Amino acid sequence: MSDQLVMSSVARQARSHAWWNAVNAWLLLLPAAVLLLAFTHYPILATIRHSFFITRRNGTEAFVGLDSYHSMAADPIFWRALANNFWFALGTIPTSIALALLMAIWVNRNMRGRGFLRLAYFTPTVLPMIAVANIWLFFYTPDYGLLDQLRGLFGFGGWNWLGDPSTVMGCLIVMVIWKEAGFFMIFYLAALQQLSPDLEEAAAVEGASRWYTFRRITFPLLMPTTLFVAINAVINSFKLVDHLVIMTKGGPNNASTLLLYYIYEVAFTFQDSAYAATLTVVLLVLLSTVALIKFGYLDRRIHYQ
Amino acid sequence: MILVRRTMLAATAVAVLFLGARPAAAVDLTMYYPVAVGGPVTKIIDDMVSRFEKENADIKVTAVYAGNYTDTMTKAMTAMKGGQPPQLSVLLSTDVFTLMDENAIVPMDSLVTDKTWFKEFYPAFMANGQIDGKTWSIPFQRSTIVLYWNKDAFKEAALDPEKAPATWDEMAEMAKKLVKKDASGNTTRWGVEIPTTGYAYWMLQALAIENGQKLMNEPGNEVYLTAPKTVGALDYWVDLSRKHNVMPTGTIDWATLRTDFLEGKTAMMWHTTGNLTAVKDAAKFNFGVAMLPAKERRGSPTGGGNFYIFKSASPEQQKAAVKFIQWMTAPERAAEWSMKTGYVAVSPAAYKTPAMEAYAKGFPAATVARDQLEHAVPELSVHENGRIYKFLGDAVQAAVTGAQKPQEALAAAQQQADRVLRAYK
């Protein structure tokens, strides 16, 4: 066997090896790719297409172009839901993140009853959504709910918490913060435990105050977690629907209607899947924008270890 | 010989066992049904279904509790579009236009041989389901709105405990006397409560009828929300809380109002007669049931659920479904259902059964809703029911929470309703 032949056989082998690697990789990716295509990409495209049609009552469809978008722009309930969603996001996201960080720092310390405290903070997260809604329904019930019984001790009368447009959104926000903060705490707790103690010790040696250490060392190092948690919080603020079904049905007078609940109502109660698709496209655009901001801008400005 | 005979005997025995264990080609039916009132309704339904199955071994009925009326309709329509519809369902009698528009149901006419069956029911209950000369549904858990009042509270307020208010003015006056406050000025008992969630359109319709105003036309493509008398009806409703201070402000929940009444938080409530037995079983005080008070006239819309048969069911299933419906609505069962829940029995014959007669003698409240039928009007039934109900519910809630004046709120609802109903003219 000449050297040349050996060389080419080695090259052939290497090439076939690379080819096999590629096939292997694609085969391994295939299940996930199929799922992603079937349950994410195809539905997105189908929804966008569907938003240019109307559903006739006899089940047929008709192309109407941008008509659905025009009627959406003229739909006061849509705008109400969008505005509600904005206030809801603003009310829940910063507070639940701040609270999660505080709780994580608190239960990260060495102290007695630490395990119990961690468990207590995390409990709201593991409860089923419907159970959460029912618990809070009991808190907010006028007159004999927990909240009104407490108010009663101080001589206040009953308040119709969920039946009053001025309080219903606040009530939902408080409940969601209660539920989310414990969940986000877990991520912060994990991140805090990853931090090297050297940095804090070095800061202590330099005589930095605890607040300064937190502000200049701990918090910046937690930024990747904060970003992750913030993205999740934004998504969650658009995902709330179960609680609304149980607690308010979007009322009174749409004061607690959020975008996803309105989509559910249009699609399933009114059986108008085309208009629901139009509304869904808005939700899609909103969430894609959030993703774009994350990957295009925030990711580059954050320090990863 | 003996051996042969034994073998044959054994073979016959096996064959008998085998055939006996398998009912001859049973028809399977799935039925969705809603619960909108208190009490063990699912247990009552399950019990009736299992008795029907015992009498009809060739039919198997799976009764599925599917939430309130809206949820049940949602479930049925979603199942239909998903290709797995139920064969029959109990849905709002007013869902008929939507179900027809969706091409979901079959009329009963071709399925029954003896058309006199339709004449056995109260005409007021058949009215919603008979369109274009066809009968699309059969009444089952039917109701009217009635006024429940706490006789003990009336006595305490120096009112005649046996006399319910007969007019709007009287109700407001009595309610003022019934309001009770504690030392720090907080209300511990309200005069009257009319629910504003769940079925607000229904309550508004009752008030409008009493004020002499229809809410919709017969073809179901027009609503009259800005008519002065409709506005007057909502004005009165809002005045109860904001002017007379006899009803709480904010929304009043359909589902918890019964508890409010039972806990003595309100001396009177407007609610479906379907709650009567649940109230009777739980009340720790004397209570009465009366027809709704009058303005120009007495009146209440009829309400509640009918049986519908789905088009996609096979002919055998449709026939079996009719058999089941006939069994469920037969006078003895209608009487039993009425006594166990409080719903109005759907046929006059049911009130002539010995059991019902004896029950009504000991508990006269059981017939108030039936007697009110004489003043009743078909429930608001239009195309796109779901949407129209929402617009109306929103308007009522906007008005009672003080966000809008009744006039403005109803004008907004009318505008939205007109837009939706335009397609059906």
Side-chain angles (χ1 to χ4, degrees), chain B residues 207-244:
Chain B
L207 287 158
I209 292 165
E210 289 152 17
N211 210 16
Q213 177 68 47
K214 278 196 327 178
L215 277 195
M216 80 288 189
N217 64 351
E218 212 137 89
N221 58 14
E222 251 177 51
V223 289
Y224 311 113
L225 308 183
T226 43
K229 287 179 175 174
T230 311
V231 178
L234 187 51
D235 276 334
Y236 174 72
W237 195 350
V238 172
D239 281 351
L240 287 174
S241 64
R242 299 194 168 258
K243 197 168 123 199
H244 306 309

Side-chain angles (χ1 to χ4, degrees), chain A residues 57 144 155 160 253-254 272, chain B residues 102 251 260 387 390 394 397:
Chain A
R57 282 295 152 200
Y144 30 83
N160 195 349
N253 188 25
N254 295 315
D272 186 349
Chain B
E102 296 275 3
T251 55
D260 283 2
R387 279 200 161 105
K390 179 172 170 60
D394 287 352
Q397 291 176 5

